[in-house]
Amino acid sequence: MKQIFVTGGAGFIGSAFIRLVLDETSDTQIINYDALTYAGNLENLEGVDSKRHTFIKGDICDKDSVLNSIPDNCDAIFNFAAESHVDRSIESANEFVNTNVLGTQILLDAAREKNVRRFVQISTDEVMGSLPESDEAFFTEDSPLEPNSPYAASKAAAEHFVRAARETFGLETIITRCGNNYGSRQFPEKLIPLMVSNAMNDEPLPVYGDGKNVRDWVYVDDHCRGIWLSFEKGKSGEAYNIGARNELQNIEVVKSILDILGKPHSLIKYVKDRLGHDRRYAIDSTKVEKELDWKPKVSWEEGLQATINWYQENVDWVDHIRNGEYKEYYKKHYGMEVGAK
Ligand code: NAD
Ligand code: TYD
């Protein structure tokens, strides 16, 4: 049996990763270590095979707890745990520095102490900053790290600590940098689930600025498959950019959601732009395609339809979130009321 330690496995991508690994391998035992912040949700793990998956509630900044939780003979740490929302990092960056930077460093030290074979850091294309609008330029693994938001800065800092652990101590490391993910169980503060849940409730869809910012959308299961391949086939010390060559303007995404749901475009409400809003992300994924034999399996049309279906079939999941803290966050951030009545 392979033993892997997954942090942030109660979040959107971490929980999808756990499902994928349990479905596609028969010899993997998973410890899922998650602090259950506002974004962590045990409902995301419903139905997961409890014989091969153990949940531990814990903070990656708590060194003793981390050391006690990493199993002996651990094959890999997959670090998904993070504060992940750009808008919240603009409000306050402190938690981003704690979890994303200090937490990663604590995990790296623990990985050495426990002789973990490989450390896989789940990073993001946002560490490379923003691209010009022309479609000539793409992020590659050689692009400089030029983060623009406090979130991206914290993820870039984490990458530097991962690199330093390898160069200084010889820890085996892999970094993955994916574009924007979408799929089921994504917290409805992010563009797609926010627009889907607002549209389902006939509430305004707040589009920042002119709506023409571009993101490169990747279906979450495709991202997770790329992470697993990078662990199995990737070369230590390397970074791997994962993108589906699926660039879309935000306004195109929002209109597609409304069309699928049969809701009017008049629900769109242009609002004040995000501060420092990155204009375009786009990934050249030649390296993962060639070296890891990765390519996306799910088309945008299929993935978006499946995502919307999931939100329609899981209204309770959405309603549990669109309450309490979420309503307060929404009101403060957007100056509008939203959420479960
Ligand atoms: P998420 O916000 O849905 O989940 C984060 C999880 O981490 C939650 O379960 C939360 O409880 C947990 N967590 C937060 N702080 C913790 C701490 N101190 N200790 C232990 N657990 C903690 O985020 P996500 O969208 O699933 O993103 C997962 C990872 O993937 C992040 O590292 C993010 O930077 C990266 N990433 C995300 C995207 C995207 O589009 N969402 C794209 C590329 C990379
Ligand atoms: P988001 O899902 O927050 O991901 P990221 O900022 O990490 O790319 O946002 C995706 C895009 O959607 C980004 O350009 C900002 C925009 N956006 C809106 O227009 N309105 C919103 O309410 C949100 C949350 C995002």
Side-chain angles (χ1 to χ4, degrees), residues 49-50 95 144 147 173-174 192 220 250 263 294 296 322:
D49 178 0
S50 59
E95 271 313 300
T173 62
I174 297 280
I192 290 181
V220 64
N250 294 335
K263 300 283 182 174
W294 176 90
R322 283 173 26 116

Side-chain angles (χ1 to χ4, degrees), residues 31-269:
I31 307 283
N32 172 5
Y33 185 88
D34 192 301
L36 297 181
T37 67
Y38 78 93
N41 186 349
L42 288 177
E43 287 180 47
N44 291 348
L45 297 159
E46 266 170 20
V48 164
D49 178 0
S50 59
K51 289 196 282 305
R52 291 196 291 136
H53 167 260
T54 307
F55 180 77
I56 299 177
K57 182 170 186 298
D59 187 334
I60 59 168
C61 297
D62 180 343
K63 186 178 168 209
D64 292 338
S65 167
V66 164
L67 280 172
N68 286 332
S69 304
I70 295 175
D72 294 333
N73 303 316
C74 183
D75 289 283
I77 293 178
F78 291 86
N79 184 26
F80 290 88
E83 288 296 331
S84 67
H85 192 40
V86 172
D87 291 325
R88 291 188 193 245
S89 79
I90 295 169
E91 295 281 330
S92 166
N94 296 1
E95 271 313 300
F96 289 74
V97 177
N98 272 337
T99 290
N100 300 3
V101 188
L102 183 60
T104 300
Q105 172 54 30
I106 285 170
L107 288 172
L108 289 163
D109 282 345
R112 281 197 294 130
E113 200 169 325
K114 300 282 285 193
N115 289 316
V116 175
R117 195 165 68 75
R118 255 192 174 190
F119 189 97
V120 183
Q121 171 69 2
I122 318 307
S123 191
T124 163
D125 61 352
E126 301 188 31
V127 297
M128 295 173 280
S130 183
L131 292 166
E133 222 143 8
S134 100
D135 56 5
E136 304 291 310
F138 293 92
F139 293 136
T140 73
E141 287 74 5
D142 296 326
S143 300
L145 300 195
E146 291 174 339
N148 294 323
S149 70
Y151 161 67
S154 69
K155 294 295 289 187
E159 284 202 22
H160 289 310
F161 280 96
V162 171
R163 177 189 163 89
R166 177 183 137 77
E167 295 297 322
T168 309
F169 303 111
L171 185 70
E172 274 208 25
T173 62
I174 297 280
I175 292 172
T176 63
R177 299 185 191 128
C178 193
N180 285 60
N181 282 217
Y182 69 102
S184 47
R185 305 182 182 83
Q186 185 169 27
F187 194 87
E189 65 189 349
K190 305 281 167 47
L191 180 75
I192 290 181
L194 186 144
M195 298 299 169
V196 172
S197 46
N198 283 17
M200 277 168 35
N201 289 288
D202 300 305
E203 289 162 336
L205 274 54
V207 172
Y208 297 157
D210 64 2
K212 292 190 177 153
N213 300 66
V214 170
R215 298 293 183 261
D216 186 352
W217 294 96
V218 181
Y219 192 65
V220 64
D221 291 357
D222 282 327
H223 177 199
C224 292
R225 196 171 290 108
I227 294 168
W228 187 252
L229 280 173
S230 72
F231 157 63
E232 287 211 306
K233 294 169 74 171
K235 203 164 142 247
S236 175
E238 296 289 307
Y240 295 94
N241 290 355
I242 303 175
R245 302 182 195 275
N246 181 39
E247 286 181 60
L248 293 161
Q249 291 184 340
N250 294 335
I251 192 66
E252 297 178 283
V253 171
V254 170
K255 286 182 177 166
S256 300
I257 291 170
L258 288 168
D259 292 345
I260 292 174
L261 286 168
K263 300 283 182 174
H265 288 196
S266 56
L267 284 174
I268 294 170
K269 183 171 166 35

Side-chain angles (χ1 to χ4, degrees), residues 297-328:
K297 288 190 178 172
V298 179
S299 71
W300 166 245
E301 290 74 20
E302 281 174 285
L304 186 62
Q305 183 68 60
T307 303
I308 292 176
N309 290 348
W310 188 89
Y311 282 90
Q312 286 183 307
E313 286 157 15
N314 290 276
V315 172
D316 285 354
W317 183 96
V318 180
D319 283 350
H320 292 163
I321 290 171
R322 283 173 26 116
N323 239 311
E325 191 270 351
Y326 183 84
K327 284 171 119 170
E328 275 166 43

